[in-house]
Amino acid sequence: AACAARFWYTSGTAIERMDPHSNPIAAEEDRSVRVLSYALVHGLYAKLLVWPAFLCYDYSLDAVPLVRTMSDFRLMLPLAAYTGCAQLLAVALWPLLRRRKAGRALEGPI
């Protein structure tokens, strides 16, 4: 019911009834700025998973400034987060790949 009420109030996922101060990344017209800024948000979330020192309940207005260029140093954070996720995935899948190369079946203990 709450999701339906939110969907009705905001006219779906559009930002028509919200002001740009509520979500400046979604209100940005340049697609590359949105993609880079969302990547920064992913990096900030990953940092909070590892080190939850500064927790904020509201990221509106200018809490996360927009990323306008690829040369922005803050993009090192999402780069580290995406690299870490890729490494964790590789470590998790490595035993499966070794079993497949050895010719053993990929079945569980049951």
Side-chain angles (χ1 to χ4, degrees), residues 7-41:
F7 190 83
W8 168 79
Y9 181 75
T10 60
S11 301
T13 57
I15 194 167
E16 295 168 5
R17 295 173 104 183
M18 290 186 214
D19 59 311
H21 299 292
S22 297
N23 190 348
I25 297 175
E28 177 62 38
E29 293 184 12
D30 188 2
R31 187 182 189 312
S32 64
V33 172
R34 282 196 318 267
V35 168
L36 293 174
S37 297
Y38 279 132
L40 176 63
V41 170

Side-chain angles (χ1 to χ4, degrees), residues 12 15-16 25 27 29 33-34 36 40 42 48-49 54-56 58 65 70 73 75 79 90 92-94 107 109-110:
I15 194 167
E16 295 168 5
I25 297 175
E29 293 184 12
V33 172
R34 282 196 318 267
L36 293 174
L40 176 63
H42 293 160
L48 287 174
L49 280 172
F54 175 72
L55 299 177
C56 180
D58 185 17
M70 285 291 291
F73 187 73
L75 289 176
L79 178 66
L93 293 179
W94 183 253
E107 57 187 45
I110 298 177

Side-chain angles (χ1 to χ4, degrees), residues 65-107:
L66 296 176
V67 179
R68 301 220 175 257
T69 64
M70 285 291 291
S71 62
D72 195 331
F73 187 73
R74 295 176 297 164
L75 289 176
M76 290 293 144
L77 194 57
L79 178 66
Y82 295 149
T83 303
C85 285
Q87 287 176 339
L88 286 174
L89 184 65
V91 167
L93 293 179
W94 183 253
L96 295 175
L97 294 174
R98 283 193 344 197
R99 278 189 177 183
R100 179 174 281 178
K101 286 183 180 179
R104 289 183 273 172
L106 294 175
E107 57 187 45

